């Protein structure tokens, strides 16, 4: 190898390292808020709850998009992600879900979270949504899926909440929920902004 080739190889490696570094830095840079629509993009495995009329994934996307849109409109740094994710860091991560039950209307709303850090935020969300959602509530982390949600490992967040916003297999609840999806999204966005110390107006419900 002559000197010219050696120099070219050296610079090529340098550029590759630089690209790898920029990529790494970009993927691990902490974001203020990550909003995940549960099951979004899944075709196999856990594709989410469904009833004759509705699919959870669709509703998750509607709510997650609206939450992200509102946060952006308040100049909050937000990233919208589907079910499959890579390693990320954030101050707050929220995963949006609706529950399904084998016996219709046996379920309702609940919250999952991975650590004590998230506990107080979870209680603040519960008191907001409890004043609005008029159906059943489970205790926090009532299933292993809520307690050990896979995304807790992928998104390292100071506070991570998995929100089950109601039961999609219960007619009474879907009748109430469907016209209120954007209102609920507004309540979630308000709760996140407040948690970040931003002053935004509480939505009228
Ligand atoms: Zn789900």
């Amino acid at each position: 190898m002559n000197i010219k080739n050696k120099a070219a190889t050296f610079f090529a490696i340098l550029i590759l390292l630089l690209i790898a570094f920029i990529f790494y830095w970009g993927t691990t840079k902490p974001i203020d808020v990550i909003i995940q629509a549960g099951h979004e993009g899944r075709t196999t495995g856990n594709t989410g709850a469904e009833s004759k009329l509705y699919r959870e994934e669709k509703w998750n996307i509607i709510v997650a998009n609206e939450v992200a849109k509102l946060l952006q409109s308040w100049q909050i740094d937000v990233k919208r992600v589907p079910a499959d994710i890579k390693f990320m860091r954030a101050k707050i991560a929220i995963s949006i879900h609706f529950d399904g039950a084998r016996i219709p209307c046996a379920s309702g709303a609940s919250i999952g979270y991975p650590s004590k850090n998230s506990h107080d935020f979870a209680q603040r969300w519960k008191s907001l949504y409890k004043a609005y959602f008029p159906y059943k509530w489970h205790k926090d982390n009532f299933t292993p899926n809520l307690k050990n949600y896979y995304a807790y490992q992928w998104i390292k967040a100071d506070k991570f909440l998995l929100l089950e916003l109601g039961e999609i297999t219960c007619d009474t609840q879907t009748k109430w929920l469907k016209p209120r999806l954007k209102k609920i999204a507004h309540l979630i966005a308000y709760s996140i902004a407040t948690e970040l110390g931003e002053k935004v107006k509480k939505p009228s419900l």
Side-chain angles (χ1 to χ4, degrees):
M1 200 186 272
N2 63 33
I3 288 173
K4 219 173 152 186
N5 279 350
K6 265 189 190 160
T9 310
F10 175 75
F11 279 112
I13 289 170
L14 205 65
I15 286 166
L16 282 175
L17 283 173
L18 190 68
I19 291 168
F21 176 76
I22 289 168
F23 184 72
Y24 173 78
W25 188 80
T27 54
T28 62
K29 190 170 74 86
I31 302 154
D32 281 346
V33 184
I34 291 174
I35 303 291
Q36 181 189 50
H39 315 279
E40 182 183 10
R42 284 267 158 86
T43 50
T44 56
N46 190 350
T47 52
E50 54 189 294
S51 67
K52 276 196 196 99
L53 292 171
Y54 308 114
R55 285 193 57 221
E56 183 201 345
E57 183 193 1
K58 271 199 167 173
W59 283 24
N60 294 342
I61 292 170
I62 294 169
V63 175
N65 284 349
E66 187 69 14
V67 174
K69 202 176 91 184
L70 282 159
L71 292 173
Q72 266 160 7
S73 77
W74 299 330
Q75 271 75 49
I76 292 171
D77 174 33
V78 57
K79 190 172 170 65
R80 252 287 277 122
V81 298
D84 287 324
I85 41 179
K86 54 187 188 215
F87 181 74
M88 281 179 270
R89 285 183 290 151
K91 287 183 189 161
I92 291 178
I94 303 283
S95 187
I96 306 289
H97 289 259
F98 290 85
D99 203 9
R102 219 173 314 149
I103 303 160
C105 306
S107 194
S110 57
I111 316 173
Y113 45 88
S115 63
K116 272 202 184 132
N117 255 0
S118 311
H119 172 270
D120 291 356
F121 181 26
Q123 305 322 304
R124 284 189 278 275
W125 162 250
K126 196 192 274 179
S127 72
L128 271 178
Y129 196 41
K130 237 182 179 166
Y132 191 42
F133 180 77
Y135 304 101
K136 189 183 168 78
W137 274 86
H138 291 286
K139 66 176 171 41
D140 300 353
N141 282 332
F142 85 106
T143 65
N145 271 342
L146 290 176
K147 201 166 179 259
N148 306 310
Y149 190 54
Y150 73 98
Y152 298 154
Q153 305 306 318
W154 288 95
I155 302 172
K156 286 293 165 212
D158 300 340
K159 298 167 188 175
F160 196 138
L161 301 185
L162 187 167
L163 305 180
E164 298 275 9
L165 297 167
E167 190 199 309
I168 205 155
T169 42
C170 173
D171 285 346
T172 321
Q173 291 187 37
T174 53
K175 261 187 209 129
W176 185 89
L177 286 162
K178 198 178 173 222
R180 291 176 173 82
L181 292 178
K182 293 206 169 168
K183 269 264 184 236
I184 294 166
H186 203 144
L187 199 62
I188 297 168
Y190 165 79
S191 166
I192 295 167
T194 306
E195 201 66 22
L196 288 169
E198 301 285 335
K199 292 251 176 299
V200 299
K201 204 171 156 270
K202 189 178 176 183
S204 57
L205 299 172

